[in-house]
Amino acid sequence: MDELVFGTDGWRDIIGDRFTLTNVGRAAQGYAEHLVEGGVERVLVAHDTRCNGALFARRVAEVLSANGLEVLLSDGPLPTPVLSFAITHLGAGGGVMLSASHNPPRYNGFKLKGPYGGTATEEIYADVSRRVAGIRPEGVRSPPGRTGFEQIEVRTAYFRQLASLVDLDALASLTGVVLHDVMGGAGRGWLSGFVEAFDLGIRVEQRRGAPDPLFYGVNPEPLPRNLQPLLAELSESRPDILFATATDGDGDRLGLVLPGGTFFNSHQIFAILIDLLAGRGGSGRVVKTFTVSRIVERLAAARNLEVVETPVGFKYIVDAMLAGRVLIGGEESGGIGVAGHIPERDGIANSLLLLEAVARAGVPLSELFAAIERETGWSHAYDRLDLQLGRDRLKSTVMPDLNDPPGSFASREVMSVERRDGLKLNLEGNAWVLFRPSGTESTLRVYCEAPSPAEVAEILANSHLILP
């Protein structure tokens, strides 16, 4: 019987290997038992555009239904934030999203949502994981002859929620074009649909909008290596384009490309949103994961906002948001949640907030961020390297060896060491490098921030030297 490992955001595995209808049924049975014991009556199930997503989602719905739960099922791909909103709007006690988010196309995932409309907490995942470990295939309930489920329908309500989050008057003052690279994922039609619903002067042009289980040959993660068509298009002069936004496979994360073909990363987006929300008079804590740029800390301090740092995983940000007094929370991979919305990442909502920031300031995002760098005295350059090492080597050799960090790295003195999640070496010259194993793949992720792209490249080029 396969062991199903629940990581930073649910269980993810390779389709056809461990991610099978049998194992999905086991996961659904464990979640059903958790919900029933908690007195839940209604649960929602959705999927993104990955291979056989509808088939896996239906299997989950059947198992949950067989355990006496009322199940609503998405009719086609649905963005994760829309599912999370639907849980609160429709009064459900939880939800399942069949998605591996930004992971390669060969993966799928079983992501859980709490009744508050956000990523399940550590406690929820721990209980479900414990139950699933003891469930054999023959212990999974299956309904006899179930033919259909009520559909999830919240498009209009979700747009109303977004309208309450953003300044519609500011958006109405904007003209120009926003490109939306859907990357073959579930975000198709949601940004453009909102603009059309409120008859805004902005025009949204979609790129790679047709659903594609292979995500047009790239991982559906909005990073430069996966956005080459968008980078090439914006490198050509077109003065009507405000910026391009790219959402990942399930629509909860985003990255931007600016006119001229410059990538605008998640840390820069995070900083712009802090600036916007604080400028509106917003208050509360700023929650960041261990991998996020220090410019976020400096900007928060300049705005008299408390900063809380967590391990990697949006569920830790959700814990903080549920505890209250959080203005914004975000992670390196492009997932950001804001006050006044669901405690969830939302690539569509954040794209609209970035448009509002441009409208309010009357200048492009590049100028807004340059002003933040001047104010904080922090020059930001950032990149990540993914080293494919094999699971056995990663667990048995690499991570134990990192318990003995060096005194210098890439010809820079190591000023201090942090171990909140992986190993972070704080280097002289306002630079740092972090080594952290992926929770899903057999990969060592190496994150680096330094004052210039050249320095980041130099530090990352030395990453292999720390490996045994």
Side-chain angles (χ1 to χ4, degrees), residues 272-295:
I272 294 292
L273 294 181
I274 292 174
D275 192 44
L276 171 68
L277 297 176
R280 286 177 171 183
S283 62
R285 296 177 294 162
V286 174
V287 185
K288 62 179 282 289
T289 57
F290 195 43
T291 51
V292 168
S293 166
R294 297 207 188 281
I295 201 169

Side-chain angles (χ1 to χ4, degrees), residues 171-462:
L171 291 183
S173 71
L174 270 181
T175 58
V177 175
V178 176
L179 303 185
H180 180 197
D181 189 346
V182 184
M183 302 189 76
R188 179 186 186 184
W190 288 90
L191 183 59
S192 59
F194 178 87
V195 168
E196 293 166 4
F198 291 92
D199 196 25
L200 300 176
I202 310 160
R203 189 171 81 254
V204 177
E205 296 180 7
Q206 292 189 149
R207 300 292 185 266
R208 295 193 285 190
D212 184 359
L214 298 179
F215 303 108
Y216 293 84
V218 300
N219 295 348
E221 183 173 14
L223 294 175
R225 62 177 175 268
N226 302 322
L227 301 177
Q228 290 303 310
L230 205 58
L231 290 163
E233 181 174 357
L234 268 77
S235 66
E236 301 176 359
S237 177
R238 187 173 162 185
D240 60 337
I241 293 181
L242 298 168
F243 59 76
T245 182
T247 49
D248 72 335
D250 64 333
D252 60 355
R253 309 171 194 235
L254 80 165
L256 300 187
V257 178
L258 305 186
T262 303
F263 183 68
F264 199 74
N265 66 33
S266 59
H267 315 274
Q268 295 168 302
I269 293 169
F270 199 164
I272 294 292
L273 294 181
I274 292 174
D275 192 44
L276 171 68
L277 297 176
R280 286 177 171 183
S283 62
R285 296 177 294 162
V286 174
V287 185
K288 62 179 282 289
T289 57
F290 195 43
T291 51
V292 168
S293 166
R294 297 207 188 281
I295 201 169
V296 166
E297 301 167 18
R298 292 191 170 217
L299 178 60
R303 299 292 188 272
N304 295 314
L305 301 171
E306 177 190 355
V307 176
V308 176
E309 188 173 71
T310 74
V312 174
F314 202 79
K315 61 187 176 184
Y316 301 110
I317 295 174
V318 169
D319 287 341
M321 296 181 87
L322 293 178
R325 291 189 55 254
V326 170
L327 178 66
I328 185 171
E331 55 185 354
E332 170 267 342
S333 56
I336 298 172
V338 299
H341 196 30
I342 49 176
E344 178 67 282
R345 299 165 286 207
D346 191 334
I348 305 303
N350 291 328
S351 296
L352 292 169
L353 287 170
L354 290 165
L355 283 168
E356 180 185 331
V358 171
R360 282 175 173 266
V363 298
L365 290 173
S366 57
E367 293 186 27
L368 281 173
F369 187 72
I372 290 171
E373 287 185 303
R374 289 192 297 270
E375 179 183 358
T376 59
W378 186 266
S379 296
H380 167 78
Y382 190 101
D383 203 356
R384 189 186 85 197
L385 180 65
D386 292 349
L387 301 176
Q388 307 297 327
L389 300 177
R391 190 174 298 274
D392 291 341
R393 183 185 177 198
L394 190 60
K395 287 185 175 181
S396 63
T397 308
V398 174
M399 294 313 297
D401 193 70
L402 293 181
N403 287 327
D404 185 22
S408 64
F409 186 81
S411 301
R412 296 169 184 254
E413 182 182 354
V414 175
M415 308 303 292
S416 63
V417 174
E418 298 177 72
R419 298 183 182 276
R420 185 180 297 277
D421 191 341
L423 173 71
K424 179 184 280 188
L425 306 178
N426 293 307
L427 309 174
E428 63 176 321
N430 288 340
W432 57 265
V433 60
L434 167 65
F435 299 86
R436 176 184 169 273
S438 167
T440 304
E441 307 166 62
S442 302
T443 301
L444 181 68
R445 302 202 192 281
V446 187
Y447 311 80
C448 179
E449 182 178 31
S452 71
E455 291 174 273
V456 170
E458 178 191 2
I459 293 170
L460 289 178
N462 284 270

